[in-house]
Amino acid sequence: MMKVLRILAMAAVMIACLSCGKNRKVASIDGVWELESIETRSVQIGDAEISVYLKLDSGRFDIYQKVGAGRYRHFDGTYIYSEGKLSGKYSDGKPLGSIYDVETGNGRLILFTAGGLEKDIYVKVDSIPDNVLEDII
């Protein structure tokens, strides 16, 4: 009986070790996302309405951003998503404004800036709307 219990305990330890290994699958963040809300601890982020679409695709990103009544601006670059962290740089070589902690689930992508000062909540959408692509500066 002890031998059976020992074998079962060893099997449980092996399964636990295998499930914690480096080959663990990480949820993909690839897709098209629309900014739903921004939560910040800063005193003010302004009155202007902000519209952002974020496309993530195999290490490349495209951002379409409009502030207030202006037109959309397009930014692109590359990103790395590893161990729940998102970092990257724009195509001109400048780094993103932060290294983000990432949470996903229920069709949402949540980005937390370093220190947790800002929480950006995105919802998954099918594509960048045509009117956004036609309104780029």
Side-chain angles (χ1 to χ4, degrees), residues 4 13-14 17 19 32 37-38 42 59 61 63 67 71 79-80 84 94 101 103 107 109 111 117:
V4 171
V13 169
M14 288 174 57
C17 288
S19 67
V32 177
S37 67
I38 300 172
S42 65
F61 71 82
I63 299 172
V67 178
R71 295 178 66 186
Y79 72 89
I80 297 171
K94 292 182 182 173
D101 290 316
E103 289 182 9
L109 173 70
L111 304 177
L117 296 177

Side-chain angles (χ1 to χ4, degrees), residues 97-119:
S98 183
I99 294 175
Y100 297 91
D101 290 316
V102 178
E103 289 182 9
T104 59
N106 297 323
R108 291 201 165 20
L109 173 70
I110 304 172
L111 304 177
F112 297 90
T113 59
L117 296 177
E118 187 174 295
K119 176 181 176 181

Side-chain angles (χ1 to χ4, degrees), residues 85-96:
K85 302 246 187 244
L86 176 70
S87 61
K89 60 183 176 182
Y90 293 99
S91 58
D92 66 1
K94 292 182 182 173
L96 293 177

Side-chain angles (χ1 to χ4, degrees), residues 15-32:
I15 290 171
C17 288
L18 288 173
S19 67
C20 294
K22 290 184 179 179
N23 292 331
R24 182 175 59 185
K25 283 194 172 186
V26 177
S28 173
I29 60 172
D30 283 359
V32 177

